[in-house]
Amino acid sequence: MLQGKKILLCVTGGIAVYKAAALTSKLTQGGARVKVIMSASAQQFVTPLTFQALSRHDVYTDTFDEKHPQVIAHIDLADWADLILVAPATANMIGKLANGIADDMISTTLLAAAAPVWIAPAMNVHMYEHPAVKRNMARLDEFGYRFIEPNEGFLACGYVGKGRLEEPETLVHLIEDFFSAAKEQPLKNKNVVITAGPTREAIDPVRFLTNHSSGKMGYALAEAARDMGANVSLISGPVSLKEPAGVEIQRIQSAEEMYQAVMERFSDADIVIKAAAVADYRPKTVHGDKLKKQEGDLVLEMERTKDILKILGQKKTHQLLIGFAAETDRMEEYAKGKLISKNADMIVANNVKTKGAGFGGETNIITIYKRDGSAKECQLMTKKEAAQEILREAVAELAPGEKECK
Ligand code: PMT
């Protein structure tokens, strides 16, 4: 996937510069052509010679050090790149880019760039959480820059928290995925709405009813749809996952809030995928104050929530509607029943009692049931692979003429 790809790596000053060196080496070994720009502070940590040796190209450090008289270096580099990655990205560089400041080789080149730009921040946890940095990142997000969120862990400054540059191996995988998806963007210009995670139904201000959904399946779908070129809206229940870059996220708590969020986007949607584990019932009364314990049992009266998938099935015009079925027995029978009763185009069934399937884990075992009566049984695979499989089936449904037998 990396063969011949032109990657411009912009290295700014932080201890994680050593990871950028490892990244350069891995990308080059993978066949990519890597050119490096270093900020002045990056050179305090590692010399340009390291990156020159690893990338086998001149390293750019100064806007006015024009190496080739026939071109202007920062314009030439900006035009050359298929992908620009700023890693590690300091708070200072993020601030400059967010405000259109062009006072060094990196910020000047990025202002001239039309290629996709990824930012991989690395800094102290408090710096990362500072409102100024958050605001600058939000602005870059609006510009269409994609963020590779830092990891949590021990930081060089002695703190433990979020701020470690993502590992070079992971960055390489993300870059490979990007080029592999860019080859073919079957969902380009399609609006895809995905629900993920659990809902919480309040009992009183301190208690709620929920379920075991981690959101991993829905988030994997959101990332896979984004990589296939879709405009993705992710409606997420409360989960503790990294927000996928390049995806619109709306956070909700209850089934009713999820219903409202989905309906707001439904008329413009081309595909709706309901991976969320939505509560079927909620307490009939939500107590304004904390319920005090009393002698004897407590009986909660419950009422039905809206069946969002069913309502979408009744209202759909052109949308491809994909539901899930989380079952513990008679999976085929129930999944096929949901296909009809909810007027869905596809139901992705998983037996949540089976090891490796369902809630929480990194893997799933899915069977995809379709309106034409066909069923595609998949083996144990990662949720990412399952998401790609589901979306390939969705693409085939959108363009039945191009349907392939796999
Ligand atoms: O989040 P993970 O930890 O990765 O776990 C993944 C998963 C198990 C949650 C996921 O793979 C899954 O099966 N999601 C659907 C869970 C569920 O609620 O299934 P259900 O069979 O109860 O509902 C059927 C369909 O109706 C689902 O698409 C659901 O989103 C939808 N529904 C349900 C109730 C409701 N009130 N409104 C709905 O739209």
Side-chain angles (χ1 to χ4, degrees):
M1 257 318 133
L2 293 177
Q3 200 61 44
K5 296 291 181 271
K6 292 175 281 185
I7 299 168
L8 180 59
L9 180 62
C10 301
V11 184
T12 68
I15 187 66
V17 169
Y18 77 92
K19 289 191 183 174
L23 175 65
T24 306
S25 169
K26 286 183 191 304
L27 290 172
T28 310
Q29 285 174 41
R33 294 167 64 195
V34 183
K35 291 189 182 179
V36 178
I37 313 179
M38 295 180 79
S39 70
S41 38
Q43 295 166 62
Q44 300 285 331
F45 292 89
V46 171
T47 66
L49 187 58
T50 303
F51 284 97
Q52 182 185 307
L54 293 170
S55 68
R56 298 178 209 127
H57 281 287
D58 277 338
V59 172
Y60 296 77
T61 54
D62 178 355
T63 322
F64 300 102
D65 176 19
E66 296 291 358
K67 296 178 192 298
H68 306 290
Q70 60 278 28
V71 293
I72 307 290
H74 65 276
I75 306 292
D76 191 47
L77 278 179
D79 291 346
W80 172 84
D82 296 320
L83 175 69
I84 301 176
L85 174 62
V86 187
T90 56
N92 180 49
M93 184 55 71
I94 289 170
K96 285 206 248 185
L97 298 176
N99 290 287
I101 294 169
D103 65 351
D104 66 2
M105 183 62 181
I106 292 179
S107 53
T108 308
T109 305
L110 263 76
L111 265 193
V117 177
W118 291 10
I119 309 276
M123 62 193 78
N124 163 272
V125 59
H126 297 312
M127 290 170 81
Y128 186 67
E129 282 164 5
H130 194 284
V133 175
K134 292 264 172 245
R135 181 201 56 204
N136 290 335
M137 292 200 301
R139 184 172 272 188
L140 291 178
D141 187 54
E142 282 166 26
F143 295 172
Y145 288 21
R146 174 171 164 187
F147 279 87
I148 314 295
E149 268 197 64
N151 285 324
E152 293 197 24
F154 284 101
L155 303 175
C157 54
Y159 278 93
V160 176
K162 202 169 188 175
R164 286 163 61 98
L165 180 69
E166 185 55 274
E167 295 305 319
E169 294 74 16
T170 310
L171 290 170
V172 171
H173 285 142
L174 291 171
I175 293 169
E176 285 172 341
D177 286 352
F178 167 77
F179 284 118
S180 129
K183 251 176 83 182
E184 202 195 333
Q185 295 235 302
L187 291 176
K188 197 166 176 61
N189 298 327
K190 298 286 180 206
N191 297 328
V192 178
V193 176
I194 295 166
T195 68
T199 61
R200 284 182 182 173
E201 308 302 329
I203 298 170
D204 66 13
V206 296
R207 303 180 183 95
F208 52 81
L209 297 168
T210 189
N211 58 65
H212 292 296
S213 174
S214 64
K216 286 180 184 169
M217 190 66 244
Y219 276 53
L221 279 159
E223 287 178 354
R226 174 202 65 202
D227 290 344
M228 289 183 178
N231 310 316
V232 181
S233 296
L234 176 62
I235 298 161
S236 173
V239 298
S240 55
L241 299 175
K242 275 188 187 174
E243 292 193 350
V247 163
E248 185 225 1
I249 299 205
Q250 179 159 357
R251 295 194 173 273
I252 56 86
Q253 295 279 323
S254 65
E256 180 59 30
E257 287 172 9
M258 181 169 280
Y259 169 76
Q260 299 295 344
V262 172
M263 291 318 291
E264 274 168 31
R265 291 163 180 80
F266 189 53
S267 59
D268 289 337
D270 296 294
I271 303 177
V272 179
I273 310 179
K274 292 235 54 262
V278 188
D280 288 319
Y281 293 90
R282 64 180 172 206
K284 199 164 187 173
T285 307
V286 181
H287 296 267
D289 293 313
K290 184 182 172 190
L291 271 179
K292 302 311 273 180
K293 59 178 167 294
Q294 298 153 1
E295 289 305 313
D297 297 338
L298 170 73
V299 176
L300 278 180
E301 199 180 347
M302 306 282 275
E303 64 182 7
R304 286 290 306 267
T305 55
K306 293 194 176 95
D307 187 332
I308 307 168
L309 185 60
K310 191 167 183 175
I311 296 171
L312 297 180
Q314 288 158 355
K315 289 189 186 297
K316 76 175 179 188
T317 50
H318 60 285
Q319 298 88 348
L320 188 79
L321 191 54
I322 304 175
F324 269 71
E327 308 296 349
T328 54
D329 63 339
R330 293 156 69 187
M331 187 176 87
E332 179 174 354
E333 180 190 331
Y334 289 140
K336 285 184 169 169
K338 282 176 183 169
L339 199 55
I340 305 303
S341 66
K342 304 197 186 218
N343 194 25
D345 298 290
M346 283 163 50
I347 287 286
V348 181
N350 41 192
N351 186 331
V352 295
K353 267 169 77 176
T354 306
K355 193 165 179 282
F359 295 114
E362 300 302 324
T363 59
N364 208 351
I365 305 169
I366 56 167
T367 303
I368 303 172
Y369 295 93
K370 291 194 184 171
R371 297 288 290 192
D372 62 7
S374 66
K376 179 164 190 176
E377 256 183 72
C378 300
Q379 302 303 311
L380 177 85
M381 53 174 71
T382 62
K383 284 184 176 168
K384 179 177 172 176
E385 289 163 340
Q388 288 165 341
E389 195 61 49
I390 293 162
L391 286 164
R392 274 197 290 272
E393 292 295 328
V395 169
E397 287 296 305
L398 286 176
E402 295 160 26
K403 200 160 162 181
E404 303 170 12
C405 199
K406 286 183 279 298

